[in-house]
Amino acid sequence: MSGVLILDRRQTAAALEPATVLDAVGRALVAVARGEVSVPPRIAALTPAGLLGAMPGYVAGFGPAAKLVTVTADPQHPGRSFHRGLVVLFDEHDGRALALVDAESLTGVRTAASATHSALALATRPGLGRVAVVGTGTQARAQLALLAAVRPTAEVTVAGRDPVRAGEAAALFPGARAVTGVEAAVRAADVVFCCTGADAPVIRREWLSPGVHVSSVGGSQGPELDPGTVRDAALFAEWAGAAASPPPAGAHELQDLAPGRPVTLLGSVLAGDHPGRGGDTEALTVFKSTGHAALDVAAVRVAYDTARARGLGMRVDL
């Protein structure tokens, strides 16, 4: 077929089958850890309202792709933000553009997939146990929808400032309950997914019990986790630049770590090249996600292949 396959927001979401994306993102994380990708650090142009980021990458078996994404504050809702943009998949042999898809839908699912991999690899309880999802926005909802698809037996609590939005988010995971207090939800959790647009910490070290795993995927504008949590945790990330590069490429929480402080690549754990938490069931573990173009490449390939198989989208000669 000729032309570029274009998927709108609804079609992009429909083409991102959760289990398939989870598998593809896992393979991309392993490829990152083994140095088998070509991905330069993310760059961004700053605007009065936020930023425009560019994230190109190549992963063997998936192809080259690039994401353009804007991150802007929601003027109607302080503390919330929009993540909007486009992802383009190219043919790795002749360079043709193959697909153009919605970045917001794709980013939510691929980020939730990497966070879920971290929990499955590092949590101490089978099936994840008691899960707290902190946040009620787009990313928190993507996380809840993915968990409902791949770990429906988890005991889930959703914590947010707005009880109405917390209830709406909780409805995405059958049996989940909503609470307004972050501290109470976190204190009772075995796994914490922190999915906020915060510019200051929303998680405190004293709230976390021994053996808890924390997955932090928000914090584009500042740290979601307090310094005590970072200080005491075994740290994991998608790529080495999460600590070595300044924001917006790197993570706010991982700047200025002590010399020699290890940050383990999650893909090394998934590949069996690193033991993760090993046998230490009392250790605090933290996965700090910054996003990585290799994950976008994997997810857009899933969307393209699924859309072709299902006859989704429309073709345009560009």
Side-chain angles (χ1 to χ4, degrees):
M1 294 188 197
S2 62
V4 181
L5 181 63
I6 297 180
L7 305 179
D8 64 19
R9 180 182 303 233
R10 178 186 59 81
Q11 292 164 335
T12 301
L16 292 166
E17 197 281 324
T20 307
V21 174
L22 189 67
D23 175 71
V25 165
R27 287 187 282 147
L29 287 165
V30 170
V32 171
R34 292 182 168 174
E36 298 170 352
V37 305
S38 177
V39 177
R42 174 173 52 198
I43 60 171
L46 303 181
T47 74
L51 62 83
L52 167 63
M55 300 171 64
Y58 169 72
V59 182
F62 294 118
K67 180 165 75 175
L68 288 174
V69 59
T70 58
V71 180
T72 58
D74 180 351
Q76 303 300 318
H77 302 94
R80 301 178 192 167
S81 60
F82 298 114
H83 293 68
R84 295 164 168 157
L86 304 168
V87 183
V88 184
L89 175 69
F90 297 89
D91 186 281
E92 67 178 299
H93 302 293
D94 62 17
R96 290 179 300 117
L98 298 176
L100 175 66
V101 311
D102 171 49
E104 186 175 8
S105 303
L106 183 142
T107 301
V109 177
R110 68 83 153 137
T111 303
S114 64
T116 300
H117 271 299
S118 80
L120 294 174
L122 299 169
T124 57
R125 292 184 58 180
L128 302 186
R130 297 167 298 179
V131 173
V133 176
V134 179
T136 61
T138 299
Q139 189 55 55
R141 295 177 185 221
Q143 185 65 64
L144 288 159
L146 185 67
L147 287 174
V150 301
R151 283 299 182 274
T153 60
E155 180 184 333
V156 175
T157 299
V158 180
R161 295 171 298 177
D162 184 331
V164 174
R165 285 177 59 85
E168 292 171 349
L172 296 170
F173 190 101
R177 63 187 183 92
V179 299
T180 54
V182 172
E183 180 179 353
V186 169
R187 283 188 181 277
D190 301 303
V191 172
V192 178
F193 291 99
C194 200
C195 313
T196 75
D199 57 9
V202 296
I203 300 294
R204 301 290 174 185
R205 174 65 182 99
E206 58 266 27
W207 301 348
L208 300 167
S209 301
V212 169
H213 172 69
V214 178
S215 175
S216 170
V217 304
S220 296
Q221 309 303 318
E224 282 191 310
L225 310 178
D226 74 333
T229 298
V230 176
R231 178 196 64 222
D232 292 348
L235 301 174
F236 299 82
E238 294 133 331
W239 66 303
S245 301
H252 290 278
E253 290 92 339
L254 303 185
Q255 302 302 298
D256 301 319
L257 295 178
R261 176 80 186 274
V263 178
T264 301
L265 300 190
L266 179 58
S268 294
V269 181
L270 301 182
D273 299 329
H274 186 281
R277 71 163 56 242
D280 189 350
T281 59
E282 298 294 302
L284 170 66
T285 57
V286 164
F287 169 64
K288 182 61 210 180
S289 171
T290 61
H292 194 274
L295 312 186
D296 297 312
V297 173
V300 72
R301 187 76 212 193
V302 170
Y304 175 66
D305 290 344
T306 302
R308 290 183 65 197
R310 297 183 183 175
L312 301 175
M314 62 178 292
R315 290 191 174 270
V316 176
D317 187 13
L318 293 180

